[in-house]
Amino acid sequence: SRAIFVDMAALNKIVKDKGASAPDAFEMEVAQALFDLESNSTDLKAELKELYIVSAKEVDVAGRKAVVLFVPYRLLKLTHKIQSRLVRELEKKFSGKHVVVIAQRRIQRQEAKSGRTLAQKRPVSRTLTAVHDAILEDLVHPTEIVGKHTRYRTDGSKLLKIYLDPKEASNVEYKLDTFGSVYKKLTGKEASFEFPVVA
């Protein structure tokens, strides 16, 4: 029947890493939504044909859920081309839940201090700091980060303050809490997102 055909075709929209568990019900729902968009959209069809995700998860944000899509790093450029429209369409499909798109990146651990050198030197892009910085950029795309500031609290904890381009305020203001919750979920670090006060 047609329903099964659609579901089978939708499976092409999620390609898990080798050894990863099979897509869960939520990931299948996201894959189905991407497939439906590809089938029914004229202006996004060509790009969506190439696009798939490697995983998806829901994150709690102040009593509601946000949807986080992970795309292969090599498809990030393609995703960025259509991201604003894609996110808008998916947010409609997921009844107003906020949607963010992140590239799948791997953190490579530091070389052992024992003097044994690894066959290859660890690329800077694979360090913890570089990956966490890249997640920030992905989270707020297409808005630019114009400044960062680390606040040290009296209890020793840190808060990262991220300042976004004020020109984009009307487009992303509603998502600032989502950015903070998703960043904490993915990195364990606290961050607040705001716009610099223009005097």
Side-chain angles (χ1 to χ4, degrees), residues 42 74 86 94 142 161 187:
T42 44
R74 63 182 187 78
L86 176 63
F94 287 103
K161 293 189 114 168
T187 66

Side-chain angles (χ1 to χ4, degrees), residues 60-116:
D60 288 310
V61 182
R64 56 187 298 179
K65 298 260 191 230
V67 177
V68 186
L69 309 185
F70 294 90
V71 298
Y73 179 72
R74 63 182 187 78
L75 292 182
L76 189 61
K77 243 193 190 130
L78 173 79
T79 311
H80 281 173
K81 255 175 78 177
I82 57 166
Q83 188 158 327
S84 299
R85 285 173 298 159
L86 176 63
V87 164
R88 205 166 44 238
E89 291 301 326
L90 287 173
E91 287 184 343
K92 279 187 223 159
K93 277 189 175 290
F94 287 103
S95 326
K97 285 177 185 169
H98 295 169
V99 173
V100 294
V101 182
I102 308 274
Q104 177 90 326
R105 293 180 177 84
R106 281 189 177 70
I107 295 168
Q108 210 170 309
R109 54 195 182 80
Q110 255 173 315
E111 285 86 352
K113 295 271 191 289
S114 62
R116 273 192 314 126

Side-chain angles (χ1 to χ4, degrees), residues 30-31 33 36 41 60 62 75 80 82 106 125 132 135 142 163 166 171 180:
V30 172
D36 292 344
S41 157
D60 288 310
L75 292 182
H80 281 173
I82 57 166
R106 281 189 177 70
S125 63
H132 286 184
I135 288 172
Y163 297 101
N171 297 327

Side-chain angles (χ1 to χ4, degrees), residues 29-45:
E29 196 185 332
V30 172
Q32 185 70 55
L34 286 169
F35 177 75
D36 292 344
L37 264 183
E38 184 191 320
S39 308
N40 304 321
S41 157
T42 44
D43 57 339
L44 296 175
K45 199 179 197 72

